[in-house]
């Protein structure tokens, strides 16, 4: 990762004033080489999300699960039962509920690698929050290489937001790690673009094969006779018409072909068995699920025996995929919106309300119940509760990790 050095005001780093963030990759392909999906947001959203069932389901599973997590607010170590920020996150604007806004937030993050949100501040108070489409947002780098603003463009008009705000910066930007870009994140769809292309091409090939009587492509070869080495124009037209009317299309699938007059069928493509068609799709599907961090078992993809049962796969999905995104969002929103409510305010998620982790909580409570060397208050602190006779609960152990 490149670190931009801070310089004195007015000191211009050579070249930095014209630095442009890398947002696309242009590749030239020669004939006969594979043509992969172009790496831009519209193409990734169209081919990766809208037309691929595995990527679509992965994005929905992660975004809906993450958006369902309840928020907690802490003032230092003290948990707050009620707070204006919690009310704002529950109803961020007049058109969306909290889960709807965060589903869009996580969906943009997974499809584009970037998520953006805008805070509407009136009289020093945050009134509403909106998510913004990543393809309409642009980072405006400053002279030192760090963003000095963000630009939103729609319908030919642009609005620029400054990174300065009192008390809240109007825009928050969260990006997934990208090793070669200073400002924009790397989408899982982009990392899995090759597997998505293979999966989509296999589905399209299978559809075309079914439309063509479920037969591989081939050719009718005319061996010729002693009097003629080729078909006449009338014979050729008649043969072509019979093939189109009697043997092509799903309704004619499996219909036997009658060959006469020295005609012979020669296959010119590999059969589905030779291509190992089903396994090809399953391998591509597993690669797509791997890029998103969704266990293939949860997507119904066969051939994956990593987990002994569905519950174990679901717990891994929550622990390794969903909660890290929620934790990253909690820290980002705490730094973004916290200054409007006090320097000690921070957000975190409520893991106790996640049904998929109930088995872990039961196991923890059983272990603590048998730990005779701990006092009752120490056991309560280990599961996030305050002392028995305290009036306010404390922050859970590891809440800031």
């Amino acid at each position: 990762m490149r670190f931009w050095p801070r310089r004195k005001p007015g000191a211009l780093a050579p070249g930095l004033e014209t630095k442009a963030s890398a947002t696309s990759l242009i590749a030239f392909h020669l004939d006969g080489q594979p043509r992969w999906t172009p790496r831009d947001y519209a193409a990734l959203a169209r081919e990766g999300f809208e037309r691929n069932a595995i990527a679509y389901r992965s994005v929905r599973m992660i975004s809906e699960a993450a958006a369902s997590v309840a928020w907690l607010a802490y003032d230092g170590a003290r948990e707050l039962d009620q707070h204006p920020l919690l009310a704002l996150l529950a109803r961020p604007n007049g058109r969306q509920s909290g889960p709807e806004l965060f589903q869009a937030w996580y969906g943009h993050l997974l499809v584009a690698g970037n998520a953006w949100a805008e805070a509407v501040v009136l009289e020093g108070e945050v009134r509403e929050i909106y998510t913004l489409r990543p393809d309409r947002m642009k980072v405006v780098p400053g002279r030192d290489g760090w963003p000095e603003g963000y630009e939103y463009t729609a319908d030919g008009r642009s609005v620029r937001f400054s990174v300065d705000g009192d008390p809240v910066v109007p825009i928050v930007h969260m990006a997934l790690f990208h090793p070669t870009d200073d400002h924009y994140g790397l989408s899982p769809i982009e990392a899995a673009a090759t597997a998505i292309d293979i999966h989509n091409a296999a589905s399209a090939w299978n559809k075309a094969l079914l439309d063509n009587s479920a037969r591989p492509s081939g050719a009718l070869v005319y061996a010729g006779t002693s009097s003629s080495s080729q078909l006449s124009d009338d014979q050729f037209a008649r043969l072509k018409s019979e093939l189109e009317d009697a043997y092509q299309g799903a309704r004619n699938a499996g219909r036997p072909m009658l060959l006469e007059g020295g005609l012979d069928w020669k296959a010119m493509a590999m059969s589905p068995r030779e291509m190992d068609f089903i396994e090809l799709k399953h391998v591509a599907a597993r690669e797509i699920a791997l890029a998103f961090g969704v266990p293939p078992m949860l997507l119904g993809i066969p051939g994956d025996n990593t987990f002994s049962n569905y519950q174990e796969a679901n717990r891994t999905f929550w622990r390794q995929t969903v909660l890290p995104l929620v934790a990253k969002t909690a820290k980002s929103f705490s730094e973004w919106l916290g200054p409007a409510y006090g320097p000690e305010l921070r957000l975190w998620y409520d893991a106790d309300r996640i049904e998929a982790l109930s088995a872990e909580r039961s196991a923890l409570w059983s272990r603590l119940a048998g730990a005779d060397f701990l006092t009752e208050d120490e056991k309560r602190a280990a599961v996030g509760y305050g002392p028995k006779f305290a009036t306010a609960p404390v922050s859970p152990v590891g809440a800031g990790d």
Side-chain angles (χ1 to χ4, degrees), residues 211-225:
D211 289 342
N212 195 35
S213 307
R215 301 175 187 273
S217 63
L220 281 175
V221 180
Y222 179 59
T225 63

Side-chain angles (χ1 to χ4, degrees), residues 108-115 173-177 184-188:
H108 288 155
L109 188 66
L110 294 169
V111 174
N114 301 274
H173 174 212
M174 195 170 86
L176 299 179
F177 172 70
Y184 299 97
L186 180 67
S187 164

Side-chain angles (χ1 to χ4, degrees), residues 11 25 31 38 64 106 133 145 157 159 171 189 249 259 292 324 336 340 370:
L25 174 65
D31 291 341
E64 289 178 355
Y106 293 116
R133 276 176 44 176
R157 296 183 299 175
V159 178
I171 298 293
I189 289 183
L259 302 178
F292 282 98
W336 180 40

Side-chain angles (χ1 to χ4, degrees), residues 189-210:
I189 289 183
E190 185 171 350
T194 299
I196 290 174
D197 279 328
I198 293 173
H199 197 271
N200 289 350
S203 298
W205 187 85
N206 191 33
K207 174 63 166 57
L209 186 64
L210 291 174

